[in-house]
Amino acid sequence: MNVLRNLDRRVIYVLLFLLVLYPLVKPMGLPVSVGPWTQGSFDYINNLKAGDLVVVSFDYSSGGAPDVDPQAVVVVKHLFKKGVRIVGTAFVDQGVLFANKVFDAWQKQGKKPGVDFVNLGYLAGGETAVAAFGNNPLKAFPKDNNGNDTASMPIMQGVKTAADFKLIAAFATGAPGPSEWVRQVVTKYKTPYMAGLVTVMAPGAEPYLQSKQMIGLLAGLRGAAEYETALKEPGTAAAGMDAQSMGHVVIIVFVILGNILYLLDKPKKAKA
Amino acid sequence: MTTNWEVWVSALLTLGAYSILFSENKFFQLVEHIFVGVGAGFAVVVNYYSIVNKGIKPMTGKGEWWLIIPLLIGVMLFGRFVKGMAWITRIPISLLVGIGVALALRGAVQAELVQQISANFINVVGKTPGATINNLVMVVGTIGTIMYFFFTYKQTPIVMAGSAVGKWIMMVAFGAAFGNAVQGRISLLISRLQYLFGTWIHLIPTK
């Protein structure tokens, strides 16, 4: 027991590192179930028609990108496979980097900018910018990320407010996140809204699901893996789920061990 | 192993960031400074072009002269760096606070008060036993948690019982939040391991 009491924290790091790495090298094939939050998002997008117009907002920074970027990648993949047209925005400065990466890859596969998608780039202002976009997308983004006039683009014809979009899928690592989108756009324009969030933000956003202000929620890498499973196209997120499970096992074992040691030491401390 | 120098730089910087787990060292400090510097530099460049493209160019090129007003209000924020002119920053700050609060309040009443309260007006008896339990937890948990924050109300046995329920519901919520935090951190580790052992040294097949 004294070994555990005086355990160097670096031993835990090494153990965690090795046990997370092992299933990445030798996958165990644990099943990934699709939860109701993810299923809600998947079903809504699956029922969209070719030519429908949706917003995908890349409101995340590099710190949370490993959690959120796989969600955005798989949702955009599903939307394009359905023939849905995408208006890409970013209300976080680093978000535009990820928007560029995703849309550049699809442009190489034949999707046409201005017709199949438009990358509007970054708009500063946080919640104020989200409100401005909801009120008049063309006025908020008169030019796209490459400096082209948005008003003359085929994809933006007929767009007056956020009510003209069939869905807003916003991926966030902070603000603007669900609170801002719900306050400024969903409540006013009744546009269906789904969020992709870093895992820590998910419990805070759940009330919006229960009140039906949100149609679906992808929570972290797990959410992305569930979506890949629902789409029947497992990618990097699904590949990481064995490792995720092993990492959780390590944490749970050490939480239990820590509590056992605490309970064993409690009477001694009380006597002292 | 890849021969792409960009991947090598990224991989080595990742190792530098993780080296803090072993002990504080110069390599980690270098990586930390690069991270902060690149992040700050990127933000400056993006926001600079945002001001130029959305403010200065339309003003000078299209004659939208009224854009000078928000630009000047923005410049006022730098008043604090000029001796004796710090007072001028109060004008843009008061505008920012006023607009921000007004905008948030406009939506908050409907989105976060009315709709959240009405979402609790449900038939507790659900279609399945599980749904009934979920509904009960939601309604009792909401009432209990609100009762926990009755600081100025007389602590009668009913209020204390409700408050105790609220406390336990919040404990469960904190546990769920911690579990999600752990899950998020493991996800970050997985992403880096996929990069190091997949993209860099090709030990993991990359998709």
Side-chain angles (χ1 to χ4, degrees):
Chain A
M1 284 294 177
N2 275 336
V3 175
L4 279 173
R5 281 192 185 93
N6 302 316
L7 191 66
D8 191 326
R9 63 187 163 81
R10 284 170 289 199
V11 174
I12 302 175
Y13 295 149
V14 171
L15 207 58
L16 187 66
F17 178 86
L18 291 174
L19 284 172
V20 170
L21 177 61
Y22 180 76
L24 290 174
V25 179
K26 290 208 177 284
M28 295 146 68
L30 297 173
V32 178
S33 57
V34 181
W37 296 357
T38 307
Q39 194 66 50
S41 316
F42 179 85
D43 289 343
Y44 187 88
I45 291 176
N46 216 32
N47 288 325
L48 289 173
K49 295 181 184 74
D52 281 347
L53 192 61
V54 308
V55 174
V56 174
S57 198
F58 297 80
D59 303 330
Y60 52 96
S61 54
S62 54
D67 239 7
V68 182
D69 192 50
Q71 300 170 356
V73 168
V74 71
V75 167
V76 168
K77 186 183 198 177
H78 192 192
L79 289 167
F80 275 143
K81 278 182 75 173
K82 296 284 300 178
V84 172
R85 297 172 302 153
I86 299 175
V87 173
T89 58
F91 296 98
V92 166
D93 53 12
Q94 290 183 26
V96 74
L97 289 174
F98 299 102
N100 290 345
K101 183 198 73 169
V102 169
F103 288 124
D104 286 352
W106 280 101
Q107 196 174 342
K108 282 176 191 161
Q109 292 184 44
K111 291 290 177 187
K112 290 178 189 160
V115 180
D116 299 314
F117 74 90
V118 59
N119 180 6
L120 294 177
Y122 165 64
L123 184 63
E127 186 167 358
T128 319
V130 170
F133 175 74
N135 189 41
N136 190 337
L138 286 171
K139 205 172 172 186
F141 288 97
K143 306 254 184 202
D144 74 355
N145 197 40
N146 296 319
N148 304 310
D149 282 325
T150 50
S152 58
M153 290 179 179
I155 191 171
M156 296 303 278
Q157 299 311 304
V159 175
K160 292 186 177 70
T161 68
D164 297 315
F165 299 112
K166 292 284 182 191
L167 171 72
I168 292 168
F171 300 90
T173 51
S179 301
E180 288 78 9
W181 279 101
V182 169
R183 273 200 299 260
Q184 302 304 335
V185 177
V186 178
T187 306
K188 192 173 177 186
Y189 304 100
K190 312 292 179 207
T191 313
Y193 164 66
M194 63 162 280
L197 304 172
V198 278
T199 328
V200 283
M201 285 172 73
E206 200 181 342
Y208 295 122
L209 277 172
Q210 285 170 341
S211 59
K212 298 191 171 39
Q213 290 164 292
M214 232 160 63
I215 55 122
L217 168 64
L218 305 186
L221 193 67
R222 165 81 196 184
E226 288 181 9
Y227 205 100
E228 287 174 358
T229 307
L231 192 60
K232 295 187 174 62
E233 291 198 21
T236 51
M241 282 304 100
D242 288 347
Q244 186 93 48
S245 303
M246 288 303 284
H248 289 187
V249 168
V250 175
I251 301 291
I252 289 168
V253 166
F254 277 102
V255 167
I256 292 170
L257 281 175
N259 277 282
I260 289 171
L261 289 174
Y262 169 76
L263 290 172
L264 287 175
D265 288 349
K266 207 176 174 183
K268 290 178 197 168
K269 280 181 184 168
K271 277 182 190 174
Chain B
M1 190 174 267
T2 184
T3 51
N4 185 335
W5 68 270
E6 290 169 342
V7 175
W8 270 85
V9 170
S10 183
L12 291 174
L13 289 173
T14 302
L15 292 178
Y18 276 127
S19 68
I20 186 67
L21 298 176
F22 184 72
S23 67
E24 181 80 34
N25 61 79
K26 295 284 178 196
F27 188 25
F28 170 75
Q29 286 171 4
L30 174 71
V31 173
E32 191 179 30
H33 288 118
I34 290 172
F35 181 75
V36 173
V38 169
F42 181 79
V44 167
V45 170
V46 168
N47 284 292
Y48 168 78
Y49 282 107
S50 179
I51 292 166
V52 169
N53 292 330
K54 292 184 171 70
I56 293 170
K57 276 187 182 173
M59 190 174 62
T60 53
K62 290 183 179 175
E64 295 175 5
W65 54 268
W66 54 88
L67 288 173
I68 191 79
I69 298 166
L71 284 170
L72 279 176
I73 292 170
V75 170
M76 283 179 187
L77 278 168
F78 294 94
R80 68 173 62 185
F81 300 115
V82 183
K83 203 175 177 183
M85 292 292 283
W87 61 271
I88 209 164
T89 57
R90 289 181 202 150
I91 297 167
I93 286 172
S94 59
L95 273 168
L96 284 172
V97 172
I99 293 167
V101 171
L103 205 63
L105 275 178
R106 182 190 71 170
V109 176
Q110 181 66 23
E112 287 167 2
L113 208 61
V114 176
Q115 292 200 22
Q116 287 299 318
I117 292 169
S118 62
N120 271 281
F121 296 157
I122 52 167
N123 185 359
V124 176
V125 181
K127 287 177 184 170
T128 60
T132 305
I133 293 168
N134 273 344
N135 293 344
L136 269 172
V137 170
M138 191 174 80
V139 174
V140 174
T142 304
I143 294 168
T145 307
I146 292 169
M147 285 173 93
Y148 180 83
F149 292 98
F150 279 179
F151 296 131
T152 54
Y153 197 80
K154 191 181 175 186
Q155 293 297 301
T156 61
I158 293 174
V159 173
M160 285 168 77
S163 170
V165 170
K167 188 177 80 177
W168 279 101
I169 290 287
M170 282 192 286
M171 297 280 242
V172 172
F174 297 147
F178 175 71
N180 275 290
V182 169
Q183 188 179 327
R185 300 299 174 254
I186 302 278
S187 299
L188 299 184
L189 176 63
I190 290 168
S191 164
R192 284 294 84 192
L193 289 180
Q194 282 176 329
Y195 191 82
L196 290 174
F197 291 89
T199 311
W200 188 35
I201 61 172
H202 299 169
L203 195 64
I204 303 169
T206 49
K207 291 189 180 181

